[in-house]
Amino acid sequence: MSKRKLYIFLLLPLSLALIMLLVGCGNTYAGLTTRWLAQGEQETSFYEQATYDLTHKTVTNKEGLAFTLTSGTLTQTIQGAYRAIENALINNGTATNYNSYEYKTELTINGQYTYHGQAIEVKDTITSTVLCRISTEGFRPLKSTQIIKATTPEYNAKTKTYTFTKYDYTVDKLYNGDTNTVEIHTTANNNSTSVENSVKTVSNINKKNAPYDSVQLYFVARAMQDATNIVNTITENGIVPTIINLSTGKEKLTFPNTTEEKEFATTNAKISIAGNGIGKGPGRILTFLTSGDFRHTLYRVQETMPYSLGAIIYTLKTITKTPLTP
């Protein structure tokens, strides 16, 4: 598996990720809603910022590789607006105004890998930003940027050993909906030799399924309501088929700024990404709160780590939105 594939889907998950309707209920594109909007709220005035604490139970795999998390945080920000956006593939690069969302995640992970007496320090940061159209335009991506500083292991099946690489690079994607293409720019940062600078164009990104940027995947999952959803995720390596399965349930949780544990109605989104190297089953499980006025808030993310190293759990710590969550 390519080393860089470990990080091309981050979120937030998120990004984290996040998607919408016009005034809070109903459909625009099939199976997508904007349940995060308050009654009467417009998409272009929506704002939400949430922070998440990270936890992980150290696991040693059969080859003797282990990962230990010492600290980590995720901040997810969503801002709807009528804004000018520059895209070299649209209108000759002249700034064009769009009703749009900006979805941004900032992830820090500190810890270490240990492997047969080696200790490899991890001080990773991944900042991801995507600009996409509002619900009436199907949340189509316009452009995205990921700045990645990451420490990644890779297993060599012939020598049966791991090697480790420090990555430092940026991926920019520019979308042209009229021509159904995306231009992907990969640029090494700080004289890093971990990647080669490149530009490539991927055509026919719609195919049979809607295309979404890897940065906005969690955002899109938040808007879905069909039990099974198949989309094309656009990564730095091209088009990757993705299945998102939804299920509903109830769970006892403690919401931020409160001490009382209470039962919430929830929706779980299980995301399976083809070729992500983590074996059978979902690579990520998102839990949204659907009770009352919580408006499909992303409460928790479980991300399976490659190489059987367990899972990192992101749990909601603080949240601010318009109007404020009760």
Side-chain angles (χ1 to χ4, degrees), residues 7-22:
Y7 287 93
I8 57 180
F9 300 106
L10 261 162
L11 264 99
L12 224 227
L14 264 159
S15 236
L16 72 127
L18 316 149
I19 318 312
M20 19 269 131
L21 189 143
L22 234 135

Side-chain angles (χ1 to χ4, degrees), residues 49-51 53 253-262 264 289 294 297 299 315-321 323-326:
Q49 184 173 80
T51 62
D53 283 336
L253 303 167
T254 301
F255 196 76
N257 305 322
T258 69
T259 56
E260 180 184 359
E261 185 180 65
K262 56 185 291 189
F264 288 87
L289 302 183
F294 289 100
T297 294
Y299 180 81
T315 304
L316 184 64
K317 180 181 180 181
T318 66
I319 186 166
T320 300
K321 63 171 68 183
L324 294 179
T325 300

Side-chain angles (χ1 to χ4, degrees), residues 119-256:
I120 298 89
E121 185 181 37
V122 173
K123 288 188 174 181
D124 292 357
T125 61
I126 302 175
T127 301
S128 306
T129 305
V130 64
L131 290 161
C132 67
R133 305 290 290 271
I134 62 172
S135 61
T136 51
E137 298 293 335
F139 310 113
R140 288 184 300 164
L142 293 163
K143 63 189 297 187
S144 74
T145 297
Q146 270 194 304
I147 304 171
I148 299 168
K149 294 183 178 181
T151 306
T152 306
E154 184 176 29
Y155 184 67
N156 186 316
K158 291 183 179 181
T159 63
K160 297 183 179 180
T161 59
Y162 287 93
T163 57
F164 300 85
T165 303
K166 299 280 188 180
Y167 285 96
D168 188 354
Y169 68 106
T170 297
V171 178
D172 294 296
K173 304 191 199 92
L174 302 175
Y175 291 86
N176 189 330
D178 293 335
T179 61
N180 195 21
T181 60
V182 58
E183 194 173 271
I184 304 171
H185 298 247
T186 301
T187 307
N189 299 327
N190 300 313
N191 298 315
S192 172
T193 59
S194 58
V195 299
E196 294 182 358
N197 295 343
S198 65
V199 179
K200 64 181 176 181
T201 299
V202 180
S203 303
N204 194 26
I205 60 175
N206 281 327
K207 292 189 175 180
K208 294 182 179 179
N209 307 313
Y212 292 108
D213 193 281
S214 58
V215 173
Q216 70 177 134
L217 199 56
Y218 291 3
F219 181 49
V220 175
R222 186 176 180 179
M224 291 176 174
Q225 57 183 358
D226 293 341
T228 300
N229 306 269
I230 302 174
V231 302
N232 288 331
T233 301
I234 310 302
T235 76
E236 62 182 89
N237 296 314
I239 301 172
V240 181
T242 302
I243 300 174
I244 302 177
N245 291 315
L246 304 185
S247 62
T248 58
K250 292 183 179 180
E251 188 174 348
K252 286 188 175 181
L253 303 167
T254 301
F255 196 76

Side-chain angles (χ1 to χ4, degrees), residues 276-296:
N276 64 352
I278 59 174
K280 297 180 180 179
R284 286 134 175 80
I285 302 176
L286 317 181
T287 299
F288 299 99
L289 302 183
T290 55
S291 296
D293 295 326
F294 289 100
R295 294 183 267 141
H296 232 59

Side-chain angles (χ1 to χ4, degrees), residues 16 49-52 73-77 104-108:
L16 72 127
Q49 184 173 80
T51 62
Y52 298 80
T73 60
L74 172 71
T75 300
Q76 170 186 272
T77 306
K104 183 176 182 178
T105 62
E106 299 169 276
L107 174 67
T108 63

